[in-house]
Amino acid sequence: MPLYKTDKARFFAGLLIIILIYSLYYIYFVEYYLYFDENNDVIKTPRIIRQIIRFTTTIVVYLIGTIHLGKLKDSWMSSLWHLVHISGLCILTSLGLFDLLITDIGHKLKTFCISVQEILISPVLYVAMGLLNSSLNKSNNTELTDSGSKN
């Protein structure tokens, strides 16, 4: 018995899980550090722990997208998902290792890393891929219908 009866249900289940992870990440991790960075009332978590939390969150979102998009009929969505995430993870990993092992990276590079990570964990990428898939499927269906009526 399959868990999902349609691709649409699979897509929305993946979206719901990604939204949940994204929300929990911002509520329990990002907001906590933004609030306490201003007050300096709390002992700071070591940088490596913060990077591990960020990296783990990104990997979890990547795996959820891989599971939910990889089973859809259109395999290009899965390929695009892999391309975007693996290239983003390579960027983040190389800059993170440079930051940990060699020297601190500058503020602009840290901001760039935060932006790349935001793109990778945000449900916006997942939704954009779904909308693109939907619009391409509609245009393919109308082309097939139009060519069938001309014959």
Side-chain angles (χ1 to χ4, degrees):
M1 176 178 182
L3 182 61
Y4 304 104
K5 293 184 180 182
T6 65
D7 284 349
K8 197 177 272 192
R10 177 179 297 283
F11 179 81
F12 282 113
L15 177 62
L16 182 65
I17 294 169
I18 289 174
I19 288 173
L20 181 68
I21 290 171
Y22 182 77
S23 299
L24 291 174
Y25 172 78
Y26 270 90
I27 290 170
Y28 289 109
F29 182 70
V30 174
E31 290 298 323
Y32 175 80
Y33 285 104
L34 289 177
Y35 174 73
F36 284 113
D37 278 348
E38 292 174 0
N39 293 330
N40 291 327
D41 290 339
V42 71
I43 298 171
K44 301 221 180 202
T45 305
R47 183 174 54 197
I48 190 163
I49 300 298
R50 291 191 309 254
Q51 288 182 346
I52 289 171
I53 291 170
R54 288 183 183 117
F55 188 74
T56 304
T57 303
T58 308
I59 293 292
V60 168
V61 170
Y62 169 66
L63 292 174
I64 289 168
T66 299
I67 290 168
H68 288 277
L69 293 176
K71 306 268 186 196
L72 296 176
K73 294 175 190 172
D74 299 323
S75 63
W76 67 269
M77 287 178 67
S78 179
S79 299
L80 183 62
W81 183 262
H82 290 304
L83 177 71
V84 169
H85 274 81
I86 290 173
S87 60
L89 285 169
C90 286
I91 291 168
L92 291 175
T93 303
S94 60
L95 288 173
L97 288 174
F98 184 82
D99 184 44
L100 285 174
L101 301 175
I102 299 172
T103 185
D104 290 345
I105 59 175
H107 179 70
K108 289 183 180 183
L109 272 178
K110 285 181 184 178
T111 305
F112 173 73
C113 288
I114 290 170
S115 300
V116 169
Q117 199 245 354
E118 173 71 22
I119 290 168
L120 295 178
I121 69 168
S122 173
V124 173
L125 177 63
Y126 192 84
V127 169
M129 290 178 63
L131 291 174
L132 182 62
N133 180 44
S134 176
S135 68
L136 289 175
N137 283 340
K138 285 181 184 177
S139 66
N140 286 340
N141 288 339
T142 56
E143 287 175 7
L144 291 174
T145 307
D146 290 343
S147 65
S149 63
K150 291 179 183 178
N151 291 331

